[in-house]
Amino acid sequence: MAEQHEYLRTRLTRRGMLRASAVTAGTVAGAGLLGGGLGGGASAYAAPAVASPTLLTSAATTKVDGKHVAPFGRHLAFGADPKTQMRISWQVPFAVKRPFVRVGLKPWDLGHRIDAEVRPLHTPSLSKKLPAVDQVYLHAALDNLRPGQTYYYGVGHDGFDPADHRNFATIGTFTTAPARAEKFTFTAFGDQGVSYHALGNDQVILAQNPAFHLHAGDICYADDSGEGKPDDNYDARRWDQFLAQTESVAKSVPWMVTTGNHDMEAWYSPNGYGGQSARWALPANGFDPRHSPGVYSFTYGNVGVVALDANDVSYEITANTGYSGGKQTRWLDRRLGELRKQSGIDFVVVFFHHCAFSTTNSHASDGGVRDTWLPLFEKHQVDLVINGHNHVYERTDALKGQRVSKKVPIGGSVDSAREGIVYVTAGAAGKSLYDFPAPDSYEGHVKDIESVPTFHWVKGGGKQKEAVEWSRVRYTNYSFLAVEVEPGRHPRMRVTALAETGERIDHFEVTRSSSGRQG
């Protein structure tokens, strides 16, 4: 993929379409908030490489009075410590002067003002059908927040002040993680895109009152093919639609994303992830946030969450296969070990895009994920793995390695420390649906079968047929996950799959015996 980036950069420069420039990450400044301490720290943003087409462009220099420009596409993300860190991101259609965030403990008192960092993004005209696109993304890093505190915030710039009564409707809220573990819910899915079904899923998610949401990649489908190639059909304007669609949830629920194959946008260095770095402010604690912004971790209550970039290990789609040189996998081994030894962490949840276990007729399972990461999931006793990629809902029995260690029927329970790991494919967030080689089987419509004929991808891009016993629940319609976490002497995660109608299609429970804990 690095060669593709260089080829495209050179080609576009020859045509006079592009100037390369480095973008320097800014620093957010701030003093204490009501004695609780609201400080600024270094941004989570890792600047693209010098060869990146991320630069100040016509949109960034257009002269427009700020009073005529309204912010949109607000989306939150945690820093590495959700108790004290929040990142606020948004978009403006034109460059504005002195963008900022106002924050306070009351909606009518947003007295604390924090300057924002500007990350402009230029996409050249890649075909006669699509114009060049200039987008302006803004980010503010809030540190030293109070745990378990609800804050009110508004985003603005010269000419548009959220504290003005005329803009009062634009004020949003967020809540930091509690200091001590409490009962909470998080939601998850992958493969959302922009559609009526995506919008519907968002509203059902909002009704769950989640503490955060995990997006397992293939975020908006600006890139149609998902192969990470410079000649892919790519429309950067799809991101504007996506962030506007998602704002109703993401303005108050931290939207924690990772990288799918459709998110390898070959026009933005490095590794096609410069666009992701411009649009999102994610924790910068992965193995290399500059080159892999979708790899990071955070802890919330008694749960450690790890986001991975499966493009690095995929046997199916190879544009970025091996780009980290094994660094990501070594980081994963180390980070899982740290989480397992961390006091107060009962459960470890890992999410990424390509499926370890799925039986659809489309992508099925990726042998690269199995070969590279399953041994580490076993070694560190991961409690739940969430994937996207296949546009369905599918859930396995408890597995050790690639074999069923315990059947987990709908409504069943698994002790992950002793009985194995459940893998969930939740890729039916809004994009067109796939199908299975076996009948659907879900709550109220159970059709258990002993074996499902399917395949997995092998090194070199080929398919190997297999018949599997682990496909326990299959549902061909739009859906998402809601996970209720309960700490205490007997910690548990109640995992529920909901259709976009709100109907329950699956549920099971993950527990963890104290004797199974490492440390």
Side-chain angles (χ1 to χ4, degrees), residues 157-192:
H157 50 263
D158 282 5
F160 186 98
D161 193 332
D164 189 312
H165 70 278
R166 293 170 297 182
N167 301 323
F168 193 77
T170 67
I171 294 174
T173 66
F174 65 83
T175 302
T176 53
R180 296 182 179 180
E182 299 175 359
K183 187 176 180 179
F184 71 94
T185 297
F186 71 89
T187 51
F189 60 39
D191 306 79
Q192 187 174 21

Side-chain angles (χ1 to χ4, degrees), residues 317-365:
I317 300 169
T318 58
N320 269 357
T321 301
Y323 79 88
S324 80
K327 292 180 181 178
Q328 179 177 196
T329 299
R330 291 190 292 273
W331 173 85
L332 174 63
D333 190 10
R334 182 173 64 256
R335 185 60 184 139
L336 291 178
E338 292 168 350
L339 288 170
R340 270 289 161 243
K341 295 176 181 178
Q342 187 170 328
S343 175
I345 297 298
D346 293 311
F347 298 109
V348 175
V349 175
V350 179
F351 75 108
F352 52 92
H353 189 62
H354 300 64
C355 294
F357 298 98
S358 182
T359 64
T360 71
N361 291 314
S362 298
H363 298 300
S365 308

Side-chain angles (χ1 to χ4, degrees), residues 80-129:
D81 180 8
K83 296 190 295 297
T84 63
Q85 296 178 319
M86 189 67 70
R87 304 325 185 208
I88 301 174
S89 304
W90 69 100
Q91 191 173 352
V92 287
F94 302 101
V96 294
K97 293 182 179 179
R98 289 180 285 274
F100 61 87
V101 169
R102 286 195 181 275
V103 185
L105 298 179
K106 302 292 183 182
W108 55 84
D109 183 13
L110 303 179
H112 200 85
R113 175 169 166 156
I114 300 172
D115 292 336
E117 175 195 352
V118 182
R119 304 181 194 172
L121 187 68
H122 174 72
T123 305
S125 176
L126 299 169
S127 73
K128 294 181 179 179
K129 296 181 180 179

Side-chain angles (χ1 to χ4, degrees), residues 7 28 49 87 97 118 137 190 215 241 268 278 282-283 290 298 306 322 405 427 445 461 477 498 506 508:
Y7 157 74
V28 177
R87 304 325 185 208
K97 293 182 179 179
V118 182
Y137 299 99
H215 194 311
Q241 297 172 310
Y268 313 126
L282 300 167
R290 175 185 174 85
F298 64 92
V306 178
S405 51
H445 301 79
N477 217 323
L498 296 172
D506 185 25
F508 64 97

Side-chain angles (χ1 to χ4, degrees), residues 187 189 199-211 213 246-253 255 480:
T187 51
F189 60 39
L199 184 62
N201 254 344
D202 280 355
Q203 304 318 303
V204 183
I205 282 174
L206 191 60
Q208 312 310 309
N209 192 29
H213 177 73
T246 306
E247 184 174 19
S248 63
V249 185
K251 68 181 180 182
S252 58
V253 177
W255 206 259
F480 67 93

